[in-house]
């Protein structure tokens, strides 16, 4: 056995020592500022997860959430208002502003056989013939679950969303919430006015804001033109280092989402400076399952497979991994260094002392390559420099990201796809927000709405000579209700079309809006508008332009979901945000123009 070991060179000495001591020199800097969407930087708050601050969007309470908020408010009144709580609660439930509208049956002579949504006071007359053809009325008829929910909540709940909006308006205007309630028709006794004001302020700040913490109008990192988030972080190291993430799609945030941009002087006062750290270690040999044993005549396990069955000469990554795992695995040592979350750590060097007493300075590989004049800049977990694309920033950024979060099913989903036959890009709403707090199948909802429109607006009878017409000319075809067109446009100062503008398909036939309809409601009766918030709800007054590079042949998919996470200090954060993913390829809408159809002959 000894002769065999000598034959294989196991007894051959090497001019190398074993590390017995190491000292690491580093400099750590913390985050000082945060700028969302190109806006001026604000002081960074380490008590909030980064995804929460960047992704959260303003959320308008739907029907189910409004009922939930309203029930919480009524319970607060019942607990705090004392003997007069019953009359006050009844006043909220019967008010025109906060009372839930209830479905009632119209009289027999009314021109409808369906239910009608009337105020909770039920003082209005049944719907007229014009109201029966209103788009909002027809949409409601196609959603049976919403009708059933309103019927169950009629006279029992209040609109908590409207209640919170009025409380917020009163607090921001420095007026009394009780006065706002009285203006909305709620009978608030003078003896309870002060108590109601205190209760309303606490209800919003200590209950709703803690649950959702809604952003202000300027806190929005989403860029509609690119379907991505854009924000940057400032580091308090004195040289104005900026970490830019202008192409963050949403979902999970980490070090690879950032680049080091041009340095700007920080405007945040009292920002902490860099911290120098020096730490000594006893190097520990690296171990992993399936690692080759250092000594001979020992059985090894096969718990690690390197996937070499398909390795070719060009599979450099597989070959390097195999070489590391099989040949050089016992040459690696571990130095456990703990860095704080939200810091940028610059490792100046590591001094290693071997068993011969020789000290060796180890620097980042990219730095040694640059000093040697080599073109390659190899590195792991390093940041890219915007001003020097071939250079590598050797600092390690430990992003304050969420490790795991609870995510709901999509409450909204839009699929962007190219249609080469129609020469358009379509934004297909696959899932639209449901008033009951979940997502609704947009294709099914559009089909039901189209059927309701056809019943409310029947086609005019054809003439007597219609049967003799053999050819029928159609100017333009139709697409489903959930398909929104995007038309190629040329931006100002450019010679070619490089963007897409959100358009709208005409409603055929055009609907009749009510007399008191707003401009947006009148527009929705003439053209098909989106039902969600990812696309522009009013493309006329707020044009939605998306750059062409975001909608390539593969398309894109944007989802909106609820997320909840528990932060390292035990706090819980809930938000609704958007996430962009790769699309599903091209599609075909079937839209055609100038078509001639031949009537089939009857036998």
């Amino acid at each position: 056995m000894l002769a065999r070991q000598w034959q294989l060179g196991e007894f051959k000495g090497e001019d190398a020592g074993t590390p017995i001591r190491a000292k690491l020199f580093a400099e750590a800097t913390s985050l000082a500022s945060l700028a969302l969407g190109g806006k001026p930087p604000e002081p960074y708050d380490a008590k909030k997860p980064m995804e929460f601050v960047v992704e959260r969007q303003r959320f308008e309470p739907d029907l189910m959430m409004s009922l939930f908020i309203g029930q919480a408010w009524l319970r607060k009144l019942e607990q705090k208002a004392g003997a007069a709580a019953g009359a006050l609660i009844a006043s909220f439930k019967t008010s025109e502003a906060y009372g839930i509208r209830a479905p009632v049956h119209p009289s027999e002579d009314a021109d409808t056989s369906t239910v009608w949504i009337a105020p909770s006071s039920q003082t209005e007359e049944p719907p007229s013939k014009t109201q029966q053809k209103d788009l909002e009325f027809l949409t409601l008829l196609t959603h049976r679950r919403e009708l059933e929910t309103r019927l169950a909540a009629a006279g029992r709940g209040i609109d908590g969303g409207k209640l919170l909006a009025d409380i917020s308006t009163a607090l921001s205007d420095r007026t009394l919430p009780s006065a706002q309630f009285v203006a909305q028709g709620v009978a608030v006794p003078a003896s309870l006015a002060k108590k109601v004001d205190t209760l309303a302020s606490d209800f919003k700040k200590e209950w709703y804001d803690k649950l959702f913490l809604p952003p202000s109008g300027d806190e929005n990192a989403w860029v509609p033109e690119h379907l991505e988030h854009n924000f940057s972080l400032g580091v308090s190291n004195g040289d104005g280092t900026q970490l830019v993430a202008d192409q963050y799609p949403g979902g999970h945030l980490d070090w690879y989402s950032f680049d080091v941009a041009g340095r700007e002087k920080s405007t945040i006062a009292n920002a902490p400076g860099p911290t120098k750290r020096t730490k000594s270690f006893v190097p520990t040999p690296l171990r992993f399952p399936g690692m080759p044993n250092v000594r001979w005549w020992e059985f090894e396990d096969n718990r690690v497979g390197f996937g070499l069955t398909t390795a070719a000469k060009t599979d450099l990554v597989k070959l390097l991994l195999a070489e590391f795992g099989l040949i050089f695995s016992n040459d690696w040592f571990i130095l456990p260094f703990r860095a704080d979350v939200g810091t940028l750590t610059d490792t100046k060097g590591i001094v290693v002392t071997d068993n011969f007493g020789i000290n060796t300075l180890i620097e980042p590989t990219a730095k040694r390559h640059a000093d040697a004049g080599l073109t390659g800049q190899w590195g792991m977990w390093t940041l890219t420099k915007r001003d020097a694309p071939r250079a590598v920033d050797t600092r390690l950024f430990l992003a304050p990201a969420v490790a795991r979060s609870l995510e709901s099913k999509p409450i909204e989903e839009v699929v962007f796809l190219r249609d080469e036959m129609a020469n358009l890009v379509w934004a297909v709403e696959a899932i639209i927000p449901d008033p009951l707090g979940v997502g609704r199948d947009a294709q099914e909802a559009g089909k039901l709405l189209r059927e309701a429109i056809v019943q409310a607006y029947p086609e005019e009878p054809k003439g007597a000579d219609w049967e003799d017409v053999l050819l029928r000319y159609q100017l333009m075809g139709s697409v489903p209700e959930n398909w929104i067109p995007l038309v190629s446009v040329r931006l100002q100062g450019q010679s070619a079309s490089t963007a897409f503008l959100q358009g709208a398909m005409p409603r055929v036939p055009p609907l009749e809006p009510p007399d008191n309809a707003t401009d947006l409601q009148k527009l929705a009766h003439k053209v098909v508008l989106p039902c969600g918030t990812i696309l522009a709800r009013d493309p006329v007054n707020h044009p939605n332009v998306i750059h062409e590079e975001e909608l390539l042949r593969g398309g894109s998919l944007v989802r909106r979901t609820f997320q909840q996470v528990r932060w390292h200090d035990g706090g819980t954060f809930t938000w609704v945000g958007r996430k962009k993913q790769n699309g599903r390829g091209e599609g075909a809408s079937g839209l055609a123009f100038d078509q001639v159809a031949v009537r089939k002959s009857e036998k």
Side-chain angles (χ1 to χ4, degrees), residues 5-35:
Q5 290 179 271
W6 170 80
Q7 181 182 8
L8 295 177
E10 187 177 357
F11 296 149
K12 183 179 180 181
E14 297 181 357
D15 188 13
T18 301
I20 60 174
R21 186 171 59 253
K23 181 175 289 188
L24 183 144
F25 301 91
E27 186 176 85
T29 54
S30 58
L31 300 177
S33 62
L34 169 67

Side-chain angles (χ1 to χ4, degrees), residues 154-393:
R156 303 177 184 176
I158 63 174
D159 187 351
K162 180 67 168 59
L163 177 79
L164 274 176
D166 289 344
I167 293 177
S168 301
T169 301
L171 295 178
S172 60
D173 296 342
R174 296 185 178 183
T175 59
L176 299 178
S178 59
Q180 185 75 14
F181 297 153
V182 172
Q184 296 291 355
V186 179
V188 180
S191 59
L192 292 179
K194 186 175 181 180
K195 185 175 293 185
V196 170
D197 293 335
T198 304
L199 186 62
S201 178
D202 295 342
F203 181 74
K204 182 182 182 300
K205 295 179 181 178
E206 299 183 6
W207 187 83
Y208 181 76
D209 287 353
K210 282 188 177 180
L211 182 62
F212 290 101
L213 195 61
S216 63
D218 296 334
E219 295 179 347
N220 192 353
W222 180 258
V223 182
E225 295 86 355
H226 297 281
L227 302 177
E228 294 167 335
H229 301 85
N230 177 16
F231 69 101
S232 62
L233 298 172
V235 182
S236 60
N237 56 357
D239 62 356
T241 299
Q242 296 289 320
L243 302 178
V244 178
D246 53 1
Q247 297 180 0
Y248 172 55
H252 180 67
L253 185 68
D254 214 332
W255 60 271
Y256 47 76
S257 304
F258 297 89
D259 291 338
V260 178
R263 299 179 174 181
E264 299 179 3
K265 186 176 180 180
S266 176
T267 58
I268 305 300
N270 301 324
T275 302
K276 295 184 178 180
R277 300 183 60 182
T278 302
K279 192 171 184 180
S280 298
F281 307 89
V282 175
T284 303
L286 182 143
R287 293 286 185 267
F288 59 87
M291 174 180 172
N293 293 325
V294 179
R295 302 294 301 172
W296 286 86
W297 322 114
E298 294 184 20
F299 289 100
E300 301 174 351
D301 59 66
N302 59 351
R303 285 181 291 174
V304 173
F306 296 101
L308 302 180
T309 56
T310 59
K313 293 182 179 180
T314 56
D315 295 333
L316 299 181
V317 176
K318 291 183 178 180
L319 296 177
L320 288 173
L321 177 62
E323 185 178 13
F324 162 75
L326 299 176
I327 301 178
F328 301 107
S329 58
N330 61 341
D331 294 336
W332 291 78
F333 293 82
I334 298 177
L335 303 179
F337 179 76
R338 187 181 296 274
D340 296 331
V341 175
T343 58
L344 187 65
T345 303
D346 185 7
T347 304
K348 302 296 184 180
I350 304 175
V351 177
V352 179
T353 304
D354 58 24
N355 54 351
F356 294 107
I358 300 176
N359 296 326
T360 303
L361 176 62
I362 300 177
E363 295 179 306
T365 305
K367 183 178 182 301
R368 300 295 294 271
H369 284 184
D371 295 341
L374 302 178
T375 56
Q377 297 290 336
W378 188 90
M380 294 181 65
W381 303 292
T382 56
L383 303 173
T384 302
K385 293 184 177 180
R386 288 285 180 90
D387 53 352
R390 296 184 178 181
V392 174
D393 195 312

Side-chain angles (χ1 to χ4, degrees), residues 471-507:
L471 298 179
R472 185 184 63 176
Y473 174 74
Q474 187 178 26
L475 179 63
M476 184 183 69
S478 61
V479 297
E481 286 271 335
N482 57 318
W483 287 57
I484 308 299
L486 299 175
V487 186
S488 178
V489 294
R490 180 172 58 88
L491 300 179
Q492 185 177 4
Q494 297 183 355
S495 59
S497 300
T498 59
F500 293 98
L501 176 66
Q502 177 183 332
M505 295 294 293
R507 284 200 177 277

Side-chain angles (χ1 to χ4, degrees), residues 222 226-229 247-252 407-408 410 412-417 534 549-561 563 577-585:
W222 180 258
H226 297 281
L227 302 177
E228 294 167 335
H229 301 85
Q247 297 180 0
Y248 172 55
H252 180 67
E407 187 173 8
S408 70
E412 186 179 353
E413 180 178 302
V414 177
V415 180
F416 296 88
L417 52 87
I534 295 178
E549 62 268 17
E550 308 299 338
L551 303 176
L552 302 178
R553 292 187 62 181
S556 299
L557 186 148
V558 180
R559 287 192 176 101
R560 195 163 65 98
T561 60
Q563 296 188 60
R578 299 171 180 174
K579 179 169 58 177
K580 175 186 175 184
Q581 296 177 344
N582 294 330
R584 303 171 181 173

Side-chain angles (χ1 to χ4, degrees), residues 534-545:
I534 295 178
L535 300 174
R537 191 69 179 90
D538 186 1
V540 175
N541 295 321
H542 303 281
N544 183 20
V545 178

